Amino acid sequence: MTKETSTESYKHRNINLFEIEIETPRLILKSISMEYLDPIFDNFTESVTRYLMASSPQKKRETEAFIEDSLEKMKSGENLVVVILDRDNEEFIGCSGIHDIGKSNSPEMGIWIKESHHGCGYGKETMSALKRWAHDNLEYESLIYPVDRQNIASRKIAESLGGCIVREEIKITESGKQLDTLVYQIFNCS
């Protein structure tokens, strides 16, 4: 698949969101594809979605629809969605992304890590790499990173990236839970 590159938000017009591969010391961030249907379905559990707007899928078709939607929004240049893989053995660790590219001067970042890999610093490593990628490849004023007030680990990630709380929101998730969301703003600084 190729991507039309007419979106004005790109500094470099040759970006193909379907071929992104970002390496960090321990991870590879790679454009999402149907290849990751099973690990996403298996690991996007109720525990993992505790602080997320999305709910855990009950049927594999729901995960398939998520991937299809991600690919469609990547095709339009609106989102970048990546899988997070262990650099040594390519074990699936989670998903992350940048949303509303070109639709806003403040695209939104998001992430989830499978439960067995919580507390290992993979979230911070991933989000730092995505921030660097955005800085190098997109034109924007700031990134937005919404985090539930009780999600201390994600709040620490936002703060490590220089994020400041700009507003608070009450959000209702797909499953009807209420989230007390802190919206962090992370400026595009060199």
Side-chain angles (χ1 to χ4, degrees):
M1 284 184 197
T2 61
K3 155 136 181 22
E4 302 274 335
T5 56
S6 61
T7 305
E8 289 300 317
S9 63
Y10 293 115
K11 285 197 266 186
H12 308 291
R13 295 197 175 272
N14 60 352
I15 294 173
N16 181 340
L17 295 179
F18 295 104
E19 295 179 359
I20 298 297
E21 193 165 299
I22 303 165
E23 293 191 14
T24 72
R26 300 182 298 163
L27 304 171
I28 298 171
L29 312 181
K30 188 175 180 180
S31 301
I32 196 168
S33 71
M34 280 298 172
E35 174 184 352
Y36 300 99
L37 174 64
D38 289 334
I40 292 171
F41 177 76
D42 293 341
N43 291 287
F44 199 57
T45 62
E46 197 169 315
S47 175
V48 166
T49 63
R50 177 178 176 192
Y51 297 121
L52 301 179
M53 289 298 295
S55 58
S56 169
Q58 301 304 303
K59 298 178 181 174
K60 197 174 279 192
R61 177 65 192 123
E62 295 170 61
T63 302
E64 195 173 299
F66 160 74
I67 295 172
E68 288 170 350
D69 182 65
S70 297
L71 294 171
E72 193 59 38
K73 288 181 178 172
M74 287 169 59
K75 182 178 181 182
S76 71
E78 181 179 337
N79 289 354
L80 168 63
V81 180
V82 295
V83 293
I84 306 162
L85 306 173
D86 184 290
R87 188 171 172 167
D88 292 333
N89 59 18
E90 296 199 14
E91 176 187 0
F92 176 85
I93 294 174
C95 286
S96 188
I98 303 174
H99 310 284
D100 298 328
I101 297 169
K103 293 176 70 177
S104 166
N105 284 330
S106 296
E108 183 175 305
M109 298 176 76
I111 188 169
W112 65 269
I113 302 290
K114 71 181 183 178
E115 194 169 5
S116 63
H117 285 62
H118 285 181
C120 299
Y122 294 126
K124 182 177 178 181
E125 192 170 331
T126 296
M127 297 304 267
S128 294
L130 276 181
K131 180 186 175 198
R132 277 191 307 279
W133 182 88
H135 176 78
D136 292 343
N137 294 284
L138 304 176
E139 290 188 19
Y140 63 94
E141 291 177 13
S142 64
L143 296 168
I144 297 297
Y145 187 16
V147 177
D148 185 82
R149 182 182 302 276
Q150 295 180 41
N151 189 345
I152 303 302
S154 284
R155 289 178 63 184
K156 287 181 179 180
I157 292 170
E159 291 162 8
S160 76
L161 298 173
C164 298
I165 299 170
V166 292
R167 68 182 177 275
E168 299 178 22
E169 303 171 340
I170 300 298
K171 294 186 175 184
I172 305 301
T173 69
E174 288 178 0
S175 63
K177 293 183 299 188
Q178 182 174 298
L179 297 179
D180 183 5
T181 304
L182 303 174
V183 179
Y184 284 86
Q185 187 172 29
I186 303 162
F187 285 96
N188 184 7
C189 303
S190 298

